[in-house]
Amino acid sequence: MESENAARPRSSPPDRSSIVSDVRKRTAPRSFTLSALALSVCCATALLLVSEEFGGQDLPGCGPESACAAAARSAWARLPWIGTPISILGLAFFIGLLAAWIAVRGNVTRGLAMLIRLGAVASLFFVAVMAFTSLVCPYCLIVHFANFAFCFLALAPAATRAEEGSEQGASAVGWRPVTIV
């Protein structure tokens, strides 16, 4: 029996880059679709917030005395000096980002990556404002967390591609969440 095992050639472990490439081929369309879905959630929810602003009707769960209404009346809900609702700016941003995402078919350019990070920083800022002022709007939270999901889905594969050429290996993987935002 030992002679049979000794005669059998040992196969070498598969190359890391071929494994990563194989996984990316299977997950790239799913990642693109999930990213587009996250952006679609951002667009739809921001559209609801804009329609509430101009339509005058309350969203389900957000009455005149709710945290949503308080957030919409706060100074944080409008651009300073202009008075334009932040929800309009957010809707325009997410529609443009979704159009860009579809146009590049998920291939993140340097400029697009910076725009995605800028959106994530803005979402982080507004989530912090909601936390510190106790003006928690569930629709705003949906927009911001869908934006965080998009950021992760869009930039994590880009970080993986950048890693392939690096010699840092597994240590670079641990820093991925930090480099995304």
Side-chain angles (χ1 to χ4, degrees), residues 61 114 129 159:
M114 292 304 294
V129 166

Coordinates of all heavy atoms in Angstrom, one line a residue, residues 61 114 129 159:
G61 N -45.5 55.4 8.8 CA -44.7 55.3 10.0 C -44.1 56.7 10.3 O -43.4 56.8 11.4
M114 N -13.5 57.2 -6.1 CA -13.5 58.4 -5.2 C -15.0 58.9 -5.0 O -15.3 59.3 -3.8 CB -12.7 59.5 -5.8 CG -11.2 59.2 -5.8 SD -10.5 58.8 -4.2 CE -10.7 60.3 -3.4
V129 N -25.0 62.3 12.5 CA -25.9 63.4 12.9 C -27.1 62.8 13.5 O -27.6 63.3 14.5 CB -26.2 64.3 11.7 CG1 -27.3 65.2 12.0 CG2 -24.9 65.1 11.3
A159 N -10.6 46.1 -4.5 CA -9.5 45.9 -3.6 C -8.9 44.5 -3.8 O -7.7 44.3 -3.7 CB -10.0 46.0 -2.1

